[in-house]
Coordinates of all heavy atoms in Angstrom, one line a residue:
M8 N 0.9 -1.2 0.0 CA 0.0 0.0 0.0 C 0.9 1.2 0.0 O 1.8 1.4 0.8 CB -0.9 0.0 1.2 CG -1.8 1.1 1.3 SD -3.0 1.2 2.7 CE -3.7 -0.3 2.7
N9 N 0.7 2.1 -0.9 CA 1.5 3.3 -1.0 C 0.7 4.5 -0.5 O -0.4 4.9 -1.0 CB 1.8 3.6 -2.5 CG 2.9 4.6 -2.7 OD1 3.2 5.3 -1.7 ND2 3.4 4.7 -3.8
I10 N 1.2 5.1 0.6 CA 0.6 6.3 1.3 C 1.5 7.4 1.1 O 2.6 7.4 1.4 CB 0.2 5.9 2.7 CG1 -0.7 4.7 2.8 CG2 -0.4 7.2 3.4 CD1 -0.9 4.2 4.2
R11 N 0.9 8.5 0.7 CA 1.7 9.8 0.5 C 0.9 10.9 1.1 O -0.3 10.9 1.1 CB 1.9 10.1 -1.0 CG 2.8 9.1 -1.7 CD 4.2 9.3 -1.6 NE 5.2 8.9 -2.5 CZ 5.3 9.1 -3.7 NH1 4.5 9.7 -4.4 NH2 6.4 8.7 -4.3
P12 N 1.6 12.1 1.5 CA 0.9 13.3 1.9 C 0.3 13.9 0.7 O 0.8 13.8 -0.4 CB 2.0 14.1 2.5 CG 3.3 13.6 2.0 CD 3.1 12.1 1.6
S13 N -0.8 14.7 0.9 CA -1.5 15.3 -0.2 C -0.5 16.2 -1.0 O -0.7 16.4 -2.2 CB -2.7 16.0 0.3 OG -2.4 17.0 1.2
A14 N 0.4 16.8 -0.4 CA 1.3 17.8 -1.1 C 2.1 17.1 -2.1 O 2.6 17.7 -3.1 CB 2.2 18.4 0.0
A15 N 2.3 15.7 -2.0 CA 3.0 14.9 -2.9 C 2.5 15.0 -4.4 O 3.2 14.9 -5.4 CB 3.3 13.5 -2.5
I16 N 1.1 15.1 -4.4 CA 0.4 15.0 -5.8 C 0.9 16.3 -6.5 O 1.0 16.3 -7.7 CB -1.1 14.9 -5.6 CG1 -1.6 14.5 -7.0 CG2 -1.8 16.1 -5.1 CD1 -1.5 13.1 -7.4
R17 N 1.0 17.5 -5.8 CA 1.4 18.7 -6.5 C 2.9 18.7 -6.8 O 3.3 19.2 -7.9 CB 1.1 19.9 -5.6 CG -0.3 20.2 -5.4 CD -0.5 21.5 -4.7 NE 0.0 21.5 -3.3 CZ -0.6 21.0 -2.2 NH1 -1.9 20.6 -2.4 NH2 -0.1 21.0 -1.1
Q18 N 3.7 18.2 -6.0 CA 5.1 18.2 -6.2 C 5.6 17.1 -7.1 O 6.6 17.2 -7.8 CB 5.8 18.0 -4.8 CG 5.5 19.2 -3.9 CD 5.9 18.9 -2.4 OE1 6.4 17.8 -2.1 NE2 5.7 19.9 -1.6
N19 N 4.9 15.9 -7.1 CA 5.4 14.7 -7.8 C 4.3 14.1 -8.7 O 4.2 12.8 -8.7 CB 6.0 13.7 -6.8 CG 7.0 14.2 -6.0 OD1 8.0 14.8 -6.5 ND2 6.9 14.1 -4.7
Y20 N 3.5 14.9 -9.3 CA 2.4 14.3 -10.1 C 2.8 13.3 -11.1 O 2.2 12.2 -11.2 CB 1.6 15.5 -10.9 CG 0.5 14.9 -11.7 CD1 -0.7 14.7 -11.1 CD2 0.7 14.6 -13.0 CE1 -1.7 14.2 -11.9 CE2 -0.3 14.0 -13.7 CZ -1.5 13.9 -13.2 OH -2.5 13.3 -14.0
N21 N 3.8 13.6 -11.9 CA 4.3 12.7 -12.9 C 4.8 11.4 -12.3 O 4.5 10.2 -12.8 CB 5.4 13.3 -13.8 CG 4.8 14.3 -14.7 OD1 3.6 14.4 -15.1 ND2 5.6 15.4 -15.1
E22 N 5.5 11.5 -11.3 CA 6.0 10.2 -10.5 C 4.9 9.4 -10.0 O 4.9 8.2 -10.2 CB 7.0 10.7 -9.4 CG 7.5 9.5 -8.5 CD 8.2 9.9 -7.3 OE1 8.7 11.0 -7.3 OE2 8.0 9.2 -6.3
I23 N 3.9 10.0 -9.4 CA 2.8 9.3 -8.8 C 1.9 8.7 -10.0 O 1.5 7.5 -9.9 CB 1.9 10.2 -7.9 CG1 2.7 10.5 -6.7 CG2 0.6 9.5 -7.6 CD1 2.1 11.6 -5.8
A24 N 1.7 9.5 -11.0 CA 0.9 8.9 -12.1 C 1.6 7.7 -12.8 O 0.9 6.7 -13.0 CB 0.7 10.0 -13.2
E25 N 2.9 7.9 -13.0 CA 3.6 6.7 -13.5 C 3.6 5.5 -12.6 O 3.4 4.3 -13.0 CB 5.1 7.1 -13.8 CG 6.0 6.0 -14.3 CD 5.5 5.5 -15.7 OE1 4.8 6.3 -16.5 OE2 5.7 4.3 -16.0
Q26 N 3.7 5.7 -11.3 CA 3.7 4.5 -10.4 C 2.2 3.9 -10.5 O 2.1 2.7 -10.4 CB 3.9 5.1 -8.9 CG 3.9 4.0 -7.9 CD 4.1 4.5 -6.5 OE1 4.3 5.7 -6.3 NE2 4.2 3.5 -5.6
C27 N 1.2 4.7 -10.5 CA -0.1 4.1 -10.6 C -0.3 3.3 -11.9 O -0.9 2.2 -11.8 CB -1.2 5.2 -10.6 SG -1.4 6.1 -9.0
R28 N 0.2 3.8 -13.0 CA 0.1 3.1 -14.3 C 1.0 1.7 -14.2 O 0.6 0.7 -14.7 CB 0.5 3.9 -15.4 CG -0.5 4.9 -15.8 CD -0.2 5.6 -17.1 NE 0.9 6.6 -17.0 CZ 0.7 7.8 -16.6 NH1 -0.4 8.3 -16.3 NH2 1.8 8.6 -16.5
K29 N 2.2 1.9 -13.6 CA 3.1 0.8 -13.6 C 2.6 -0.4 -12.7 O 2.7 -1.5 -13.1 CB 4.5 1.3 -13.2 CG 5.6 0.3 -13.2 CD 6.9 1.0 -12.9 CE 8.0 0.0 -13.0 NZ 9.3 0.8 -12.6
T30 N 2.1 0.0 -11.6 CA 1.7 -1.0 -10.6 C 0.3 -1.4 -10.7 O -0.1 -2.4 -10.0 CB 2.0 -0.5 -9.1 OG1 1.2 0.7 -8.9 CG2 3.5 -0.2 -9.0
A31 N -0.6 -0.6 -11.3 CA -2.1 -0.8 -11.3 C -2.6 -0.8 -9.9 O -3.6 -1.5 -9.6 CB -2.5 -2.1 -12.0
E32 N -1.9 -0.1 -9.0 CA -2.4 0.0 -7.6 C -2.6 1.5 -7.3 O -2.0 2.3 -7.8 CB -1.3 -0.5 -6.7 CG -1.1 -2.0 -6.8 CD -2.2 -2.8 -6.2 OE1 -2.9 -2.3 -5.3 OE2 -2.5 -3.9 -6.7
P33 N -3.6 1.7 -6.4 CA -3.8 3.1 -6.0 C -2.8 3.7 -5.1 O -2.1 3.0 -4.5 CB -5.2 3.1 -5.4 CG -5.3 1.6 -4.8 CD -4.5 0.8 -5.7
V34 N -2.8 5.0 -5.1 CA -1.9 5.8 -4.1 C -2.9 6.4 -3.2 O -3.8 7.2 -3.6 CB -1.0 6.8 -4.8 CG1 -0.2 7.6 -3.8 CG2 0.1 6.0 -5.7
F35 N -2.6 6.3 -1.9 CA -3.6 6.9 -0.9 C -2.9 8.2 -0.4 O -1.7 8.3 0.0 CB -3.7 5.9 0.3 CG -4.4 4.7 -0.1 CD1 -3.7 3.6 -0.5 CD2 -5.8 4.6 0.0 CE1 -4.3 2.4 -0.9 CE2 -6.4 3.4 -0.3 CZ -5.7 2.4 -0.8
L36 N -3.7 9.3 -0.5 CA -3.1 10.6 0.0 C -3.8 10.9 1.3 O -4.9 10.8 1.5 CB -3.5 11.7 -1.1 CG -2.9 11.4 -2.5 CD1 -3.4 12.5 -3.5 CD2 -1.4 11.4 -2.5
T37 N -2.9 11.6 2.1 CA -3.3 12.0 3.5 C -3.3 13.5 3.5 O -2.5 14.2 2.9 CB -2.4 11.4 4.6 OG1 -1.1 11.9 4.3 CG2 -2.4 9.9 4.5
K38 N -4.1 14.1 4.4 CA -4.2 15.4 4.8 C -4.2 15.6 6.2 O -5.0 15.0 6.9 CB -5.3 16.1 4.1 CG -5.5 17.5 4.2 CD -6.7 18.1 3.5 CE -6.7 19.6 3.6 NZ -7.8 20.2 2.9
N39 N -3.1 16.2 6.7 CA -3.0 16.3 8.2 C -3.0 15.0 8.9 O -3.5 14.8 10.0 CB -4.1 17.2 8.8 CG -4.1 18.7 8.2 OD1 -3.1 19.2 7.9 ND2 -5.4 19.2 8.0
G40 N -2.3 14.1 8.2 CA -2.1 12.8 8.8 C -3.3 11.7 8.7 O -3.2 10.7 9.1
E41 N -4.4 12.3 8.1 CA -5.6 11.4 7.9 C -5.9 11.1 6.5 O -5.6 11.9 5.6 CB -6.8 12.2 8.4 CG -6.8 12.5 9.9 CD -6.9 11.2 10.8 OE1 -7.7 10.4 10.4 OE2 -6.3 11.3 11.9
G42 N -6.4 10.0 6.2 CA -6.8 9.6 4.8 C -7.7 10.6 4.2 O -8.6 11.1 4.9
D43 N -7.3 11.0 3.0 CA -8.2 12.0 2.3 C -8.6 11.6 0.9 O -9.8 11.6 0.7 CB -7.4 13.3 2.2 CG -8.1 14.5 1.7 OD1 -9.3 14.7 2.2 OD2 -7.6 15.3 0.9
L44 N -7.7 11.1 0.1 CA -8.0 10.8 -1.3 C -7.3 9.5 -1.7 O -6.2 9.2 -1.2 CB -7.6 11.9 -2.2 CG -8.3 13.3 -2.1 CD1 -7.5 14.3 -3.0 CD2 -9.7 13.2 -2.4
V45 N -7.9 8.9 -2.8 CA -7.2 7.8 -3.4 C -7.0 8.1 -4.9 O -7.9 8.6 -5.5 CB -8.0 6.5 -3.3 CG1 -7.4 5.4 -4.0 CG2 -8.3 6.1 -1.9
V46 N -5.8 7.9 -5.4 CA -5.5 8.3 -6.8 C -5.2 7.0 -7.5 O -4.3 6.2 -7.0 CB -4.3 9.3 -6.9 CG1 -4.0 9.5 -8.3 CG2 -4.6 10.5 -6.1
M47 N -5.7 6.7 -8.7 CA -5.3 5.6 -9.5 C -5.4 5.9 -10.9 O -6.1 6.9 -11.3 CB -6.2 4.4 -9.2 CG -7.7 4.5 -9.6 SD -8.7 3.1 -9.2 CE -8.6 3.1 -7.5
D48 N -4.8 5.1 -11.8 CA -4.8 5.4 -13.2 C -6.2 5.0 -13.8 O -6.8 4.2 -13.2 CB -3.6 4.6 -13.9 CG -3.9 3.1 -14.0 OD1 -3.7 2.5 -12.9 OD2 -4.2 2.7 -15.0
I49 N -6.5 5.6 -14.9 CA -7.9 5.4 -15.5 C -8.1 4.0 -15.9 O -9.2 3.5 -15.8 CB -8.1 6.4 -16.6 CG1 -9.5 6.5 -16.9 CG2 -7.3 6.0 -17.9 CD1 -10.3 7.3 -16.0
E50 N -7.1 3.3 -16.4 CA -7.3 1.9 -16.7 C -7.7 1.0 -15.6 O -8.6 0.2 -15.6 CB -6.1 1.3 -17.4 CG -5.9 1.8 -18.9 CD -4.7 1.2 -19.5 OE1 -4.4 0.0 -19.2 OE2 -4.1 1.8 -20.4
T51 N -7.0 1.2 -14.4 CA -7.3 0.5 -13.2 C -8.7 0.8 -12.7 O -9.5 0.0 -12.3 CB -6.2 0.8 -12.2 OG1 -4.9 0.3 -12.6 CG2 -6.6 0.0 -10.8
Y52 N -9.0 2.1 -12.7 CA -10.3 2.6 -12.3 C -11.4 1.9 -13.1 O -12.4 1.3 -12.6 CB -10.5 4.1 -12.4 CG -11.8 4.6 -12.2 CD1 -12.3 4.7 -10.9 CD2 -12.6 4.9 -13.2 CE1 -13.6 5.2 -10.7 CE2 -14.0 5.4 -13.0 CZ -14.4 5.5 -11.6 OH -15.6 6.0 -11.5
N53 N -11.3 1.9 -14.5 CA -12.3 1.3 -15.3 C -12.4 -0.2 -15.1 O -13.5 -0.7 -15.2 CB -11.9 1.6 -16.8 CG -12.2 3.0 -17.2 OD1 -13.0 3.7 -16.6 ND2 -11.6 3.5 -18.2
R54 N -11.3 -0.8 -15.0 CA -11.3 -2.3 -14.7 C -12.1 -2.6 -13.4 O -12.9 -3.5 -13.3 CB -9.9 -2.8 -14.6 CG -9.9 -4.3 -14.6 CD -8.4 -4.8 -14.8 NE -7.4 -4.3 -14.0 CZ -6.5 -3.4 -14.3 NH1 -6.4 -3.1 -15.6 NH2 -5.6 -2.9 -13.5
R55 N -11.8 -1.8 -12.3 CA -12.5 -1.9 -11.1 C -14.0 -1.7 -11.1 O -14.8 -2.4 -10.6 CB -11.9 -1.2 -10.0 CG -10.5 -1.7 -9.6 CD -9.9 -0.8 -8.5 NE -8.6 -1.2 -8.2 CZ -8.1 -1.3 -6.9 NH1 -8.8 -0.9 -5.9 NH2 -6.9 -1.7 -6.7
E56 N -14.3 -0.7 -11.9 CA -15.7 -0.3 -12.1 C -16.4 -1.4 -12.8 O -17.6 -1.8 -12.5 CB -15.9 0.9 -12.8 CG -15.6 2.2 -12.1 CD -16.5 2.4 -10.8 OE1 -17.7 2.4 -11.0 OE2 -16.0 2.5 -9.7
K57 N -15.8 -2.0 -13.9 CA -16.4 -3.2 -14.5 C -16.6 -4.3 -13.7 O -17.6 -5.0 -13.8 CB -15.7 -3.5 -15.8 CG -15.7 -2.5 -16.9 CD -14.9 -2.8 -18.1 CE -14.9 -1.8 -19.2 NZ -13.9 -2.2 -20.3
M58 N -15.6 -4.6 -12.8 CA -15.7 -5.7 -12.0 C -16.7 -5.5 -11.0 O -17.6 -6.4 -10.6 CB -14.3 -5.9 -11.2 CG -14.3 -7.1 -10.2 SD -14.5 -8.7 -11.1 CE -12.8 -8.7 -11.9
L59 N -16.9 -4.3 -10.4 CA -18.0 -4.0 -9.5 C -19.4 -4.2 -10.0 O -20.3 -4.8 -9.5 CB -17.8 -2.6 -8.9 CG -16.8 -2.4 -7.8 CD1 -16.6 -0.9 -7.5 CD2 -17.0 -3.2 -6.6
K60 N -19.5 -3.7 -11.3 CA -20.8 -3.9 -12.0 C -21.1 -5.4 -12.2 O -22.3 -5.8 -12.1 CB -20.8 -3.1 -13.3 CG -22.1 -3.1 -14.1 CD -22.1 -2.3 -15.3 CE -23.4 -2.4 -15.9 NZ -23.7 -1.6 -17.0
L61 N -20.1 -6.1 -12.7 CA -20.3 -7.6 -12.9 C -20.7 -8.2 -11.5 O -21.7 -9.0 -11.5 CB -19.1 -8.2 -13.5 CG -19.1 -9.7 -13.6 CD1 -20.3 -10.1 -14.6 CD2 -17.8 -10.2 -14.2
R62 N -20.1 -7.9 -10.5 CA -20.4 -8.5 -9.2 C -21.8 -8.1 -8.8 O -22.6 -9.0 -8.3 CB -19.4 -8.1 -8.2 CG -18.1 -8.7 -8.4 CD -17.1 -8.3 -7.2 NE -15.8 -9.0 -7.4 CZ -14.8 -8.9 -6.6 NH1 -14.9 -8.1 -5.5 NH2 -13.6 -9.5 -6.9
E63 N -22.2 -6.9 -9.0 CA -23.6 -6.5 -8.6 C -24.6 -7.3 -9.5 O -25.6 -7.7 -8.9 CB -23.9 -5.0 -9.0 CG -23.1 -4.1 -8.0 CD -23.3 -2.7 -8.4 OE1 -24.0 -2.3 -9.3 OE2 -22.6 -1.8 -7.7
E64 N -24.3 -7.5 -10.8 CA -25.2 -8.3 -11.7 C -25.3 -9.7 -11.1 O -26.4 -10.3 -11.2 CB -24.8 -8.1 -13.1 CG -25.0 -6.7 -13.7 CD -24.4 -6.6 -15.0 OE1 -23.7 -7.5 -15.6 OE2 -24.5 -5.5 -15.6
L65 N -24.1 -10.3 -10.9 CA -24.1 -11.7 -10.4 C -24.8 -11.9 -9.1 O -25.7 -12.8 -8.9 CB -22.7 -12.1 -10.2 CG -21.9 -12.4 -11.5 CD1 -20.5 -12.7 -11.2 CD2 -22.6 -13.5 -12.4
L66 N -24.7 -10.8 -8.2 CA -25.4 -10.9 -6.9 C -26.9 -10.8 -7.2 O -27.7 -11.5 -6.5 CB -25.0 -9.7 -6.0 CG -25.5 -9.6 -4.6 CD1 -25.3 -11.0 -3.8 CD2 -25.1 -8.4 -3.9
A67 N -27.3 -10.0 -8.0 CA -28.8 -9.8 -8.3 C -29.3 -11.1 -8.9 O -30.4 -11.6 -8.5 CB -29.0 -8.7 -9.3
V68 N -28.6 -11.8 -9.8 CA -29.0 -13.1 -10.3 C -29.1 -14.1 -9.2 O -30.1 -14.9 -9.2 CB -28.1 -13.5 -11.5 CG1 -28.3 -14.9 -11.9 CG2 -28.3 -12.6 -12.7
E69 N -28.1 -14.1 -8.4 CA -28.1 -15.1 -7.3 C -29.3 -14.9 -6.3 O -30.0 -15.8 -5.8 CB -26.8 -15.1 -6.6 CG -26.6 -16.1 -5.4 CD -26.7 -17.6 -5.9 OE1 -26.6 -17.8 -7.1 OE2 -26.8 -18.4 -5.0
E70 N -29.6 -13.6 -6.0 CA -30.7 -13.3 -5.2 C -32.0 -13.7 -5.8 O -32.9 -14.3 -5.2 CB -30.8 -11.8 -4.9 CG -29.7 -11.3 -3.9 CD -29.5 -9.8 -3.7 OE1 -30.2 -9.1 -4.4 OE2 -28.9 -9.4 -2.7
D71 N -32.2 -13.5 -7.1 CA -33.3 -14.0 -7.9 C -33.4 -15.5 -7.8 O -34.6 -16.1 -7.5 CB -33.3 -13.6 -9.3 CG -33.5 -12.1 -9.6 OD1 -34.0 -11.4 -8.6 OD2 -33.2 -11.6 -10.6
R72 N -32.3 -16.2 -7.9 CA -32.3 -17.7 -7.9 C -32.8 -18.2 -6.4 O -33.6 -19.0 -6.3 CB -31.0 -18.2 -8.1 CG -31.0 -19.8 -8.2 CD -29.6 -20.2 -8.3 NE -28.8 -20.0 -7.1 CZ -28.9 -20.8 -5.9 NH1 -29.8 -21.7 -5.9 NH2 -28.2 -20.4 -4.9
I73 N -32.3 -17.5 -5.4 CA -32.6 -17.8 -4.1 C -34.1 -17.6 -3.7 O -34.7 -18.4 -3.1 CB -31.7 -17.0 -3.0 CG1 -30.3 -17.5 -3.1 CG2 -32.3 -17.2 -1.7 CD1 -29.2 -16.7 -2.3
H74 N -34.7 -16.6 -4.4 CA -36.0 -16.2 -4.2 C -36.9 -17.0 -5.2 O -38.1 -16.7 -5.2 CB -36.3 -14.8 -4.3 CG -35.7 -14.0 -3.1 ND1 -34.5 -13.5 -3.3 CD2 -36.1 -13.7 -1.9 CE1 -34.2 -12.9 -2.1 NE2 -35.2 -13.0 -1.3
G75 N -36.4 -18.0 -5.9 CA -37.2 -18.9 -6.6 C -37.5 -18.6 -8.1 O -38.3 -19.2 -8.8
M76 N -36.9 -17.5 -8.6 CA -37.0 -17.1 -9.9 C -36.5 -18.2 -10.8 O -35.4 -18.7 -10.6 CB -36.4 -15.8 -10.2 CG -36.7 -15.3 -11.6 SD -36.1 -13.5 -11.9 CE -37.5 -12.7 -11.3
K77 N -37.2 -18.5 -11.9 CA -36.9 -19.5 -12.8 C -35.6 -19.1 -13.6 O -35.6 -17.9 -14.1 CB -38.0 -19.8 -13.8 CG -37.7 -20.9 -14.8 CD -38.8 -21.1 -15.8 CE -38.6 -22.1 -16.8 NZ -37.3 -22.5 -17.2
G78 N -34.8 -20.0 -13.7 CA -33.6 -19.8 -14.6 C -33.6 -20.6 -15.8 O -34.7 -21.4 -16.0
Y79 N -32.6 -20.6 -16.6 CA -32.6 -21.4 -17.9 C -31.3 -22.1 -17.9 O -30.2 -21.6 -17.5 CB -32.7 -20.4 -19.1 CG -34.0 -19.6 -19.1 CD1 -34.0 -18.3 -18.7 CD2 -35.2 -20.2 -19.6 CE1 -35.2 -17.6 -18.7 CE2 -36.3 -19.5 -19.7 CZ -36.4 -18.2 -19.2 OH -37.5 -17.5 -19.3
S80 N -31.4 -23.3 -18.5 CA -30.1 -24.1 -18.8 C -29.4 -23.6 -19.9 O -30.0 -22.8 -20.8 CB -30.6 -25.6 -18.9 OG -31.2 -25.7 -20.2
V81 N -28.2 -24.1 -20.1 CA -27.5 -23.7 -21.3 C -28.2 -24.2 -22.5 O -28.3 -23.4 -23.6 CB -26.0 -24.2 -21.2 CG1 -25.3 -24.1 -22.5 CG2 -25.3 -23.6 -20.0
D82 N -28.8 -25.3 -22.5 CA -29.4 -25.9 -23.7 C -30.7 -25.0 -24.0 O -31.0 -24.8 -25.2 CB -29.8 -27.3 -23.4 CG -28.7 -28.2 -23.4 OD1 -27.6 -27.9 -24.0 OD2 -28.8 -29.4 -22.8
E83 N -31.4 -24.6 -22.9 CA -32.6 -23.8 -23.2 C -32.2 -22.3 -23.8 O -32.9 -21.9 -24.7 CB -33.4 -23.5 -21.9 CG -34.1 -24.8 -21.4 CD -34.6 -24.6 -20.0 OE1 -34.0 -24.0 -19.1 OE2 -35.7 -25.1 -19.7
V84 N -31.1 -21.8 -23.3 CA -30.7 -20.5 -23.8 C -30.2 -20.7 -25.3 O -30.6 -19.8 -26.2 CB -29.6 -20.0 -23.0 CG1 -28.9 -18.7 -23.6 CG2 -30.0 -19.5 -21.6
A85 N -29.5 -21.8 -25.5 CA -29.0 -22.0 -26.9 C -30.2 -22.1 -27.9 O -30.2 -21.6 -29.0 CB -28.2 -23.2 -27.0
A86 N -31.3 -22.9 -27.4 CA -32.4 -23.1 -28.3 C -33.1 -21.7 -28.5 O -33.5 -21.4 -29.6 CB -33.4 -24.1 -27.6
M87 N -33.2 -20.9 -27.4 CA -33.9 -19.5 -27.6 C -33.0 -18.7 -28.5 O -33.7 -18.0 -29.4 CB -34.0 -18.9 -26.3 CG -35.1 -19.4 -25.3 SD -35.3 -18.5 -23.8 CE -33.9 -19.0 -22.8
M88 N -31.8 -18.8 -28.5 CA -30.9 -18.0 -29.4 C -31.1 -18.5 -30.8 O -31.2 -17.6 -31.8 CB -29.4 -18.1 -29.0 CG -29.2 -17.4 -27.7 SD -27.4 -17.6 -27.1 CE -26.6 -16.8 -28.3
R89 N -31.1 -19.8 -31.0 CA -31.4 -20.4 -32.4 C -32.7 -19.9 -33.0 O -32.8 -19.5 -34.2 CB -31.3 -21.8 -32.4 CG -29.9 -22.4 -32.4 CD -29.8 -23.9 -32.7 NE -30.5 -24.7 -31.7 CZ -30.0 -25.1 -30.5 NH1 -28.7 -24.8 -30.2 NH2 -30.7 -25.8 -29.7
D90 N -33.7 -19.9 -32.1 CA -35.1 -19.5 -32.6 C -35.1 -18.0 -32.9 O -35.7 -17.6 -33.8 CB -36.1 -19.8 -31.4 CG -36.4 -21.2 -31.2 OD1 -36.0 -22.0 -32.1 OD2 -37.0 -21.6 -30.2
A91 N -34.4 -17.2 -32.1 CA -34.3 -15.7 -32.3 C -33.5 -15.5 -33.7 O -33.9 -14.6 -34.5 CB -33.6 -15.0 -31.2
I92 N -32.5 -16.2 -33.9 CA -31.7 -16.0 -35.1 C -32.6 -16.5 -36.3 O -32.6 -15.8 -37.4 CB -30.3 -16.8 -35.1 CG1 -29.5 -16.1 -34.0 CG2 -29.7 -16.9 -36.4 CD1 -28.3 -17.0 -33.6
K93 N -33.2 -17.5 -36.2 CA -34.0 -18.0 -37.3 C -35.2 -17.0 -37.6 O -35.5 -16.8 -38.7 CB -34.6 -19.4 -36.9 CG -35.5 -20.0 -38.1 CD -36.0 -21.5 -37.7 CE -36.8 -22.1 -38.7 NZ -37.8 -21.3 -39.5
G94 N -35.8 -16.6 -36.5 CA -36.9 -15.6 -36.6 C -36.4 -14.3 -37.3 O -37.1 -13.7 -38.2
A95 N -35.2 -13.8 -37.0 CA -34.7 -12.6 -37.6 C -34.4 -12.9 -39.1 O -34.6 -12.1 -39.9 CB -33.4 -12.2 -36.9
A96 N -33.8 -14.1 -39.3 CA -33.5 -14.4 -40.8 C -34.7 -14.5 -41.5 O -34.8 -14.1 -42.7 CB -32.7 -15.7 -40.8
D97 N -35.7 -15.2 -41.0 CA -37.0 -15.3 -41.7 C -37.6 -14.0 -42.0 O -38.2 -13.7 -43.0 CB -38.0 -16.2 -40.9 CG -37.6 -17.7 -40.9 OD1 -36.6 -18.0 -41.7 OD2 -38.2 -18.4 -40.0
H98 N -37.5 -13.1 -41.0 CA -38.2 -11.7 -41.1 C -37.4 -11.0 -42.2 O -38.0 -10.2 -43.0 CB -38.1 -11.0 -39.8 CG -38.5 -9.6 -39.8 ND1 -39.9 -9.4 -40.0 CD2 -38.0 -8.5 -39.8 CE1 -40.1 -8.0 -39.9 NE2 -38.9 -7.5 -39.9
G99 N -36.1 -11.1 -42.2 CA -35.3 -10.4 -43.2 C -35.6 -10.9 -44.7 O -35.5 -10.1 -45.6
T100 N -35.9 -12.1 -44.9 CA -36.1 -12.7 -46.2 C -37.5 -12.4 -46.7 O -37.9 -12.5 -47.9 CB -35.8 -14.2 -46.3 OG1 -36.6 -14.8 -45.4 CG2 -34.3 -14.4 -46.1
A101 N -38.5 -12.1 -45.7 CA -39.9 -11.8 -46.1 C -40.1 -10.5 -46.7 O -41.1 -10.3 -47.4 CB -40.8 -12.0 -45.0
E102 N -39.2 -9.6 -46.6 CA -39.3 -8.3 -47.2 C -38.9 -8.2 -48.5 O -38.3 -8.8 -49.1 CB -38.4 -7.2 -46.3 CG -39.1 -7.2 -44.9 CD -38.1 -6.1 -44.2 OE1 -37.3 -5.4 -44.7 OE2 -38.3 -6.2 -42.9

């Protein structure tokens, strides 16, 4: 874990930015000895956001399953996809 005083971002921006990109780890900034901000490169931020969104979606699906919502097997999904593709192809040739 990399912890720096908040003044470091003004004095060493390029160094901190390079470290974030190189390590894909955040830098924690303190103000008056207390945690204040977290700095990370945009790729790491986007990757974390995507992971959080995926986890939220998986949790929602799991909650639905626990509450008895019907799910579909892989074979059922494949059949639905084939039907949808066939329907789209049939629709396209009818015009």
Side-chain angles (χ1 to χ4, degrees):
M8 181 182 307
N9 191 348
I10 301 172
R11 297 278 202 57
S13 60
I16 196 77
R17 289 187 298 274
Q18 298 166 354
N19 303 311
Y20 177 87
N21 290 335
E22 175 190 328
I23 291 172
E25 180 60 28
Q26 180 180 6
C27 288
R28 284 189 287 274
K29 188 177 182 179
T30 64
E32 292 291 327
V34 172
F35 298 86
L36 301 176
T37 62
K38 185 175 183 179
N39 300 323
E41 297 290 325
D43 187 43
L44 297 172
V45 177
V46 178
M47 67 179 66
D48 69 286
I49 196 72
E50 286 183 30
T51 301
Y52 172 80
N53 287 334
R54 189 171 50 253
R55 287 180 184 221
E56 287 297 305
K57 287 178 185 176
M58 182 66 71
L59 285 173
K60 184 176 180 178
L61 177 59
R62 287 181 180 181
E63 287 175 8
E64 291 170 358
L65 290 172
L66 180 59
V68 168
E69 182 63 11
E70 287 174 348
D71 288 345
R72 187 192 65 77
I73 288 170
H74 291 94
M76 183 171 272
K77 181 185 180 326
Y79 299 97
S80 70
V81 172
D82 291 336
E83 290 171 320
V84 172
M87 287 187 282
M88 290 175 63
R89 281 191 297 275
D90 290 344
I92 291 168
K93 183 179 183 315
D97 291 345
H98 179 70
T100 56
E102 293 179 16

